[in-house]
Amino acid sequence: MPIALHGGHVRTLAKACTTIAAGALLVTAPATATASAQATTAPSSVKTSVKAYVQRCTDLGNGTLCIDVNGRVGAQGVIGVGYWKRAGDSVHVRLGWQNTTGGGANFSRNVHGPLVPGTDTGTETWRTYLAAGCVYPLIEVVGQGTLKGKEVCVPA
């Protein structure tokens, strides 16, 4: 089932799916496969800019938690996190992310809810410097604890 992401990207929910985009090229592959995109060489009179985009979703049982990174290591970029609820009791949640190489969790101030099956948080976004390494999504279920999703690595 396709769902919209920030920036107009559309994704089909699947267990552990990684998406990479460069320019107008969009490649989706299972997380166990390698997906890559290369920019073609343009004449020197044409200025080119290739942005990288990666995304990974985690099935948490009652819903799907996704993270996406738009940008490259060593530059400003955008990290987005969203949750799509499919089953279970009504909950209130906060979204966040964390870098696997250290540092604290980055949580949104927004509390979403009550979320019931068939609803979602939309995508929370953070403009941030993208360091080398990987990031993973976090979802704090108010009164129940915090869960983390599978990591995605920042494009080099």
Side-chain angles (χ1 to χ4, degrees), residues 64-122:
T64 302
L65 179 64
C66 296
I67 188 166
D68 56 79
V69 177
N70 193 350
R72 294 195 173 279
V73 169
Q76 285 292 113
V78 178
I79 294 176
V81 177
Y83 178 70
W84 290 263
K85 186 158 180 64
R86 292 188 312 272
D89 293 336
S90 172
V91 293
H92 289 78
V93 302
R94 278 192 329 144
L95 301 174
W97 62 276
Q98 190 163 6
N99 191 311
T100 59
T101 59
N106 301 279
F107 276 100
S108 169
R109 292 181 182 172
N110 298 326
V111 176
H112 299 274
L115 290 179
V116 296
T119 61
D120 63 74
T121 61

Side-chain angles (χ1 to χ4, degrees), residues 45-56:
S45 62
V46 177
K47 209 173 198 183
T48 59
S49 172
V50 177
K51 286 226 171 197
Y53 178 84
V54 293
Q55 173 189 79
R56 190 163 193 191

Side-chain angles (χ1 to χ4, degrees), residues 92 140-145:
H92 289 78
E140 175 191 358
V141 181
V142 177
Q144 297 181 34

